[in-house]
Amino acid sequence: MKAALLALAALTGFVSTPLDAVAAAGKTVYDSACAACHAGGIAGAPRFGNADDWAPRIKQGIDTLYQSALKGKPPAMPPRGGMAGASDSDIKAAVDYMVAAANSPGAAPAPAATEAPAPTQAAAEATPPPAPPPAVAEVNAFNRLLKPAGKRNLPPAEDGIHDPANDGTLALQPPRDAFAPLPKSNSGNRINWVQALGKGHIAPRWDRLDGQAAPVVMDLNIVREVKGSMPDVVYPHKQHTEWLDCSNCHPQIFVPQKGANQISMAAILLGQKCGVCHGKVAFPVSECRNCHSKKKAPMPTASAAKP
């Protein structure tokens, strides 16, 4: 298969470059975004280093692969692999890196980057000190979705978010009027936004400039096993990607790699990980069963364990 791939590469415009020659340019992008799906073949993605998976893609030509990576490919491949800020050359380097791995399945991993020399004393003194961490009161702003009933969905001039001195604030429709026809919930601002979207009550704009752009929805559940008696956590990509582009979460909030994210309720309550949104613009942490929704397998009893 390797020989066939090399011959096919010559016919379709690929340059058969050794893996280590393109690794430095493409490995960083691959590790940051592409590995989330390509490492394990999630949602049908061609697996990294698997010649059989890549052969039909290579047959289409390098330009086609570049365009798939840059523009995305439904139903699961987001534009730029979810890295909206990556340049065209970065994305193309990641494609070259994966193609080179398919052409050379036995190649060694990319060499580690050399350690940068220590800064001189003058440079160290010129470097400004790091910014102080945010105050606890700021990150705990999630409590705004745990307000008592009388303080929920206040008019814009009273909600503490909008400028009450701005005439435009008074022209905005009060939330209680706007939310009246929407399906109800028992938490947050008392609206079930997932149901509202599913039933067509709302139609979020996917692209700021292109009103006709369609979302790239990824139907994939991630299950996180938790200790103790609480049910395991199910993270549904579908409900999130109907609203958000992958780059909203990856890789700044969640590293797209198994085992790379340490998530705890303490971190969420401090506005980190899931707490970046939940409690601020999504349902608060009081709704445990919304996330802890997968029952644990029953433990075998002593009698059942006997032959």
Side-chain angles (χ1 to χ4, degrees):
M1 174 58 73
K2 178 179 177 181
L5 274 176
L6 293 174
L8 185 59
L11 292 174
T12 53
F14 289 94
V15 177
S16 179
T17 306
L19 181 59
D20 56 359
V22 296
K27 186 176 186 301
T28 300
V29 179
Y30 170 81
D31 289 341
S32 298
C34 314
C37 292
H38 287 281
I42 293 177
R47 292 165 291 178
F48 182 80
N50 188 297
D52 292 328
D53 285 2
W54 282 94
R57 275 88 174 178
I58 291 177
K59 187 176 181 180
Q60 297 174 12
I62 186 63
D63 290 334
T64 300
L65 271 183
Y66 285 158
Q67 290 306 307
S68 294
L70 291 170
K71 297 181 179 180
K73 188 173 182 180
M77 173 68 183
R80 299 180 183 274
M83 293 186 67
S87 66
D88 287 5
S89 59
D90 288 338
I91 299 300
K92 290 179 179 180
V95 173
D96 292 339
Y97 177 68
M98 289 186 281
V99 169
N103 286 336
S104 306
T114 57
E115 184 175 353
T120 63
Q121 182 177 355
E125 292 175 352
T127 303
V136 172
E138 179 183 349
V139 295
N140 277 340
F142 72 90
N143 282 320
R144 76 178 186 84
L145 284 190
L146 294 176
K147 290 180 178 180
K151 294 187 178 296
R152 298 187 191 115
N153 299 332
L154 294 174
E158 303 173 21
D159 61 10
I161 301 173
H162 297 82
D163 180 7
N166 190 313
D167 292 339
T169 298
L170 302 178
L172 297 174
Q173 185 180 25
R176 289 176 185 172
D177 295 341
F179 296 165
L182 300 180
K184 301 299 184 284
S185 169
N186 294 322
S187 64
N189 55 16
R190 275 25 192 190
I191 303 302
N192 189 321
W193 293 105
V194 172
Q195 283 189 16
L197 178 62
K199 293 180 178 180
H201 293 300
I202 57 175
R205 188 186 183 101
W206 179 253
D207 188 279
R208 182 174 63 88
L209 301 177
D210 184 2
Q212 304 301 316
V216 179
V217 179
M218 186 177 187
D219 193 357
L220 172 69
N221 289 343
I222 301 294
V223 178
R224 289 184 64 92
E225 296 181 353
V226 298
K227 298 179 181 179
S229 59
M230 283 291 290
D232 292 334
V233 172
V234 177
Y235 175 86
H237 275 87
K238 181 177 184 294
Q239 287 84 338
H240 288 80
T241 53
E242 285 177 332
W243 294 87
L244 304 168
D245 185 77
C246 300
S247 60
N248 284 279
C249 298
H250 303 301
Q252 287 82 2
I253 301 174
F254 298 102
V255 178
Q257 181 178 343
K258 184 176 181 179
N261 300 283
Q262 298 299 318
I263 304 175
S264 66
M265 288 306 303
I268 294 173
L269 289 170
L270 288 173
Q272 303 167 12
K273 301 300 182 183
C274 309
V276 171
C277 290
H278 283 280
K280 298 188 184 78
V281 295
F283 64 80
V285 295
S286 58
E287 306 307 299
C288 304
R289 299 296 173 174
N290 282 4
C291 300
H292 291 269
S293 57
K294 185 177 187 298
K295 294 183 178 180
K296 295 181 181 292
M299 296 293 291
T301 61
S303 59
K306 294 180 180 180

